[in-house]
Amino acid sequence: MMYVILIGAIVIFWLVAIDRPVLKIKFNDGSIEQVKGHLPPGFKHNLQAIGHQNAFKGQLKVYAKRSGYHLKFTKDIPKSVQQRIRNVFPHNGFKAKGSKRA
């Protein structure tokens, strides 16, 4: 009985505590330093253009939610740059996992 409770606690901890973004981008001086996940080419081009105009440092994480995608920025990225990235984010460019049926 105790092992069932232990397994349940481990599963709950795994679902809540582990950070699982769909896309993770690390910026350094306005250029893209590291990418984990699928980065659409048009979005990459727009990010490079924004970084060329404004040199910034930080990290962007994209999370998949039921209602769409949520962008989370580190505090190092200025608010004006965050808004420009939100404006060019391709909401239709990401593929959903599995098939959507009504």
Side-chain angles (χ1 to χ4, degrees), residues 41-97:
F43 185 49
K44 182 178 180 180
H45 176 72
N46 290 333
L47 288 175
Q48 289 171 343
I50 292 170
H52 182 69
Q53 292 175 354
N54 305 325
F56 60 93
K57 185 178 185 179
Q59 191 172 21
L60 164 67
K61 293 181 182 178
V62 179
Y63 294 96
K65 302 286 183 181
R66 288 186 180 191
S67 60
Y69 292 96
H70 176 72
L71 279 68
K72 188 169 184 180
F73 299 91
T74 56
K75 293 183 180 186
D76 300 334
I77 300 176
K79 296 289 183 184
S80 61
V81 174
Q82 290 181 15
Q83 187 59 48
R84 291 188 65 197
I85 292 172
R86 282 189 184 100
N87 289 344
V88 299
F89 181 72
H91 293 280
N92 298 332
F94 288 91
K95 305 285 187 229
K97 293 181 181 177

